[in-house]
Each structure stands twice: as C-alpha cells, then as structure tokens.
Amino acid sequence: MDKKVACPHFSLWGAATSAHQVEGGNQWNDWWAWEKAGKVAEASGPACDHYHRFREDFRLARSLGHTAHRFSLEWSRLEPDEGQWSEEAFRHYDEVFDALASVGLEPVVTLHHFTNPAWFAKQGGWLAPQAVEKFAAYVRRVAERYGRRVRFWITFNEPLIYIYQGFLLGRWPPGEESVEKGFRVLRELVRAHI
C-alpha cells in the first residue's frame, strides 16, 4: 500500500497573513487612524514591507515546503474613497497573484481581515445603513477581477474576535463597549457573508 492518493483539499500547507499586519503603509483604513491616535503600543508603519517584498517572501515560503498562501486583500487600498477604485492597487494584487503562481502557491483569499476603509468607518462601519451593500460592491469588484484565479475564499477572518475586541471590549476600532451593538454587527456580518 505504498500508493499515495492525491487530494488537493488536504495537500495545502502554508501560512497566513493580514494585509494591514504585513504590507505596511495601509493608511486608508480605520486601524491606521486608531494607531495614529496612540491606541496601540506599536503602530504598523511599514510593517515588514511585504507590499514590496512579496516575491521574495513567496519564494522563501515555497522553499519551506508551503503549497498555499492565505492572505487578505486590503479593501481600503482597492477603494480608498467610496466608489473610487484604485487601478494601481488592483495591478499590485495582480502582481501578487502572478508571484504566487510563479512559485506554485495556491492563493487562499480573505476579503475582510479586521480592517475597514476609513470612509466606511466614518459612515458608521458595520453599524451604518447600507454597510452590507457597500461590502458587497467591494466583493463583486474583487470577484470580477480575481474570480478565475482563486478557488478558496474566506469572507471574514475571525468575525467573533472582531466583534469581541471592537464592539464588546472596545480594544480595537471602533472602540465600542456595547453588547447590543455587538449583536447588530454580528447580524450584519452574517448578512454580508451570505
């Protein structure tokens, strides 16, 4: 019984990143504003400059035996102002997908990893009317651009952690401490996921 059975869903091995935590310079989102307000011990700043070093990072990951890479697209880079899409940011992520393919890493894409565009946050974020529709517009745009390149999508990274930290404990943006608001956001995230 030395014969191996190939199963692509169980042969994925890799690491995961968050755009805000590794790219650096994500100045158009609510976390950047939170950091600038002094609400964290260390601001992300340039982070590990993955925005410029992604090719090198992916080659290193592949050399370690990785077969997949989970990463998030930074909504605020792609749509820095409501309804204003950045072709430059889309081209950057085109290059990210090309680099993953060039070393044989399967892309696993997270659409929302704790950060919101600053314009979205100023409108009330996930508590605002039309929040789900605005997120859906972003998702449609991303799916149209990258749908042929991605098999595995993650809508929200750890949504309950996001709610717990941001809406119950107030440690993350938007800094709310309200069970009622937390449940409202949970409902909106479920609607957005659906």
Side-chain angles (χ1 to χ4, degrees), residues 117-138:
W119 62 262
F120 182 81
K122 286 177 188 166
Q123 294 174 4
W126 290 101
L127 293 168
Q130 307 298 311
V132 171
E133 290 77 7
K134 291 173 185 185
F135 180 73
Y138 153 67

Side-chain angles (χ1 to χ4, degrees), residues 1-189:
M1 289 285 185
D2 291 346
K3 191 174 182 179
K4 292 183 180 178
V5 178
C7 181
H9 300 294
F10 294 103
S11 65
L12 298 181
W13 176 257
T17 61
S18 156
H20 188 75
Q21 294 168 350
V22 298
E23 286 180 348
N26 277 314
Q27 60 189 359
W28 304 275
N29 69 40
D30 55 351
W31 263 98
W32 188 267
W34 188 260
E35 293 169 0
K36 293 301 176 194
K39 297 190 179 190
V40 295
E42 292 183 37
S44 60
C48 59
D49 196 27
H50 180 70
Y51 190 84
H52 298 103
R53 298 173 181 255
F54 62 91
R55 290 178 187 86
E56 173 186 342
D57 293 341
F58 297 157
R59 284 192 299 271
L60 177 60
R62 190 65 179 136
S63 76
L64 295 171
H66 292 198
T67 60
H69 182 68
R70 179 183 161 205
F71 64 103
S72 63
L73 300 173
E74 178 57 43
W75 180 7
S76 70
R77 278 194 196 276
L78 295 167
E79 189 181 12
D81 292 302
E82 185 175 5
Q84 302 299 311
W85 301 95
S86 170
E87 184 55 32
E88 178 184 343
F90 277 101
R91 281 194 304 271
H92 166 75
Y93 288 117
D94 288 342
E95 292 177 18
V96 167
F97 281 105
D98 291 344
L100 288 166
S102 75
V103 295
L105 290 175
E106 176 87 35
V108 179
V109 176
T110 304
L111 295 164
H112 184 276
H113 197 132
F114 300 149
T115 62
N116 297 298
W119 62 262
F120 182 81
K122 286 177 188 166
Q123 294 174 4
W126 290 101
L127 293 168
Q130 307 298 311
V132 171
E133 290 77 7
K134 291 173 185 185
F135 180 73
Y138 153 67
V139 172
R140 267 192 299 280
R141 192 73 176 246
V142 166
E144 288 168 2
R145 183 79 171 228
Y146 303 119
R148 290 187 304 270
R149 302 183 86 159
V150 180
R151 289 192 303 159
F152 303 105
W153 297 90
I154 297 166
T155 313
F156 294 100
N157 179 71
E158 299 175 333
L160 295 180
I161 298 297
Y162 172 70
I163 292 166
Y164 182 67
Q165 294 290 351
F167 295 89
L168 300 180
L169 296 183
R171 292 180 183 163
W172 292 359
E176 297 285 351
E177 295 181 41
S178 167
V179 171
E180 184 267 331
K181 288 180 181 178
F183 276 109
R184 283 174 52 201
V185 171
L186 176 60
R187 183 185 65 226
E188 296 307 294
L189 295 184

